[in-house]
Amino acid sequence: QVQLVESGGGLVQAGGSLRLSCAASGSIASINAMGWYRQAPGKQRELVARITRGGIINYADSVKGRFTISRDNAKNTGYLQMNSLKPEDTAVYYCAAQGAKWAWDYWGQGTQVTVAS
């Protein structure tokens, strides 16, 4: 069992930055990857970024060059650094983790990111 708690959302102006945090607890050894999804009203849920236990990183084209995913293994915490934010980045952001079978089995509660124009 893995529990994920995310934080760091808020209201920022276009061009600003935010850093989201995702604290994991429980069976950390069972996590093969962690990532960030987002969902805006009326839009499909989108995988924003993912990092595997082996260090492979993937980004959605919409955030490449602006967002950075990272983790601090000693703190069991993952991060999403979001720079040069745009109004279209407005969404609820969810931390998620892939378990032993690589399914997205674990999810945080979501945190709202609002980017004002």
Side-chain angles (χ1 to χ4, degrees):
Q1 185 73 283
V2 173
Q3 296 80 44
L4 304 175
V5 179
E6 56 210 2
S7 60
L11 173 65
V12 296
Q13 297 297 121
S17 298
L18 282 174
R19 188 178 74 161
L20 306 183
S21 298
C22 177
S25 61
S27 301
I28 304 300
S30 68
I31 297 175
N32 278 318
M34 65 84 57
W36 294 90
Y37 281 83
R38 68 185 181 186
Q39 188 161 28
K43 303 292 185 180
Q44 291 187 336
R45 187 178 63 188
E46 175 187 28
L47 179 61
V48 174
R50 186 191 71 151
I51 182 168
T52 71
R53 184 173 291 274
I56 298 171
I57 294 174
N58 307 101
Y59 294 105
D61 287 342
S62 58
V63 307
K64 282 182 179 177
R66 300 188 297 121
F67 291 11
T68 303
I69 188 170
S70 63
R71 64 183 180 222
D72 185 336
N73 290 333
K75 297 181 179 179
N76 291 329
T77 300
Y79 304 95
L80 184 68
Q81 178 67 45
M82 304 184 294
N83 298 327
S84 301
L85 283 161
K86 304 174 180 179
E88 51 262 45
D89 295 318
T90 295
V92 177
Y93 284 71
Y94 297 90
C95 179
Q98 293 178 295
K101 302 297 184 182
W102 294 89
W104 291 102
D105 291 328
Y106 312 109
W107 293 83
Q109 80 281 6
T111 185
Q112 176 71 45
V113 171
T114 302
V115 183
S117 61

